[in-house]
């Protein structure tokens, strides 16, 4: 199976198609919809849409796409996608500043992995599909871990102060 689908030397390699080409086609497909500038509203292209259509006997407002960025375009329009990218950039830049501040401390590996998790979830995984971000466990861990990350510099200073108490001066 590997040699037929994932091996880069194979003529039937699907790795590049599944990770880049297919989500990109779906993102571009979201712009084929006439409401791409403003979208259909939050939740209309999400995982729960299948239940709403079945329970309330309504049709889906648009053909869904599998790209997460395309889903953002369908739900919130191009402004929603731009705001997502701005929010992701702001979170990641702030997180990177904390990681750089902790460089050389024992907290650095933890800080870097939290940053890396946030990067993966907010950009590449969401580009692939919005399902990773909509998973409440992954989402809850993202925001909990970011809270821990932004608190780490204060914890590092507290731990350093506790390890090296001030020497009492002799008069």
């Amino acid at each position: 199976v590997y040699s037929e689908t994932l091996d880069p030397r194979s003529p039937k390699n699907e790795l590049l198609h599944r990770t880049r080409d297919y989500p990109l086609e779906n993102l571009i497909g979201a712009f084929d919809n006439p409401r791409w500038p403003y979208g259909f509203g939050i939740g209309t292209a999400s995982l729960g849409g299948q239940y709403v259509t079945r329970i309330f006997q309504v049709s889906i407002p648009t053909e869904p796409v599998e790209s997460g960025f395309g889903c953002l375009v369908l739900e919130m329009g191009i402004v929603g996608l731009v705001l997502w990218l701005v929010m992701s950039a702001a979170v990641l830049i702030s997180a990177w500043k904390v990681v750089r501040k902790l460089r050389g401390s024992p907290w650095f590996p933890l800080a870097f992995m939290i940053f890396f998790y946030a990067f993966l979830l907010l950009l590449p995984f969401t580009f692939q599909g919005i399902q990773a971000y909509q998973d409440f466990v992954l989402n809850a861990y993202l925001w909990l871990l970011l809270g821990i990350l932004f608190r780490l510099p204060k914890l590092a200073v507290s731990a350093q102060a506790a390890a090296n108490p001030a020497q009492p001066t002799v008069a």
Side-chain angles (χ1 to χ4, degrees), residues 94-114 148-158 160:
S94 298
W96 184 249
K97 288 178 183 177
V98 172
V99 170
R100 283 187 28 215
K101 190 184 297 183
L102 292 170
R103 193 169 180 190
S105 78
W107 300 101
F108 175 76
L110 176 63
F112 182 78
M113 290 314 298
I114 293 172
I148 291 170
L149 174 67
F150 293 128
R151 185 67 174 171
L152 278 179
K154 180 110 173 152
L155 291 173
V157 169
S158 299
Q160 187 178 15

Side-chain angles (χ1 to χ4, degrees), residues 29-49:
F31 289 102
D32 291 340
N33 193 299
R35 292 180 67 168
W36 69 265
Y38 50 89
F40 286 92
I42 295 175
T44 55
S46 70
L47 294 173

Side-chain angles (χ1 to χ4, degrees), residues 92-156:
L92 293 173
I93 289 169
S94 298
W96 184 249
K97 288 178 183 177
V98 172
V99 170
R100 283 187 28 215
K101 190 184 297 183
L102 292 170
R103 193 169 180 190
S105 78
W107 300 101
F108 175 76
L110 176 63
F112 182 78
M113 290 314 298
I114 293 172
F115 165 78
F116 191 58
Y117 176 73
F119 167 76
L120 286 176
L121 189 59
L122 292 174
L123 294 177
F125 289 173
T126 302
F127 173 71
Q128 293 291 316
I130 198 72
Q131 298 86 353
Y133 186 77
Q134 286 179 343
D135 183 341
F136 68 92
V137 174
L138 297 177
N139 196 322
Y141 276 129
L142 169 71
W143 298 109
L144 176 70
L145 289 172
L146 282 173
I148 291 170
L149 174 67
F150 293 128
R151 185 67 174 171
L152 278 179
K154 180 110 173 152
L155 291 173

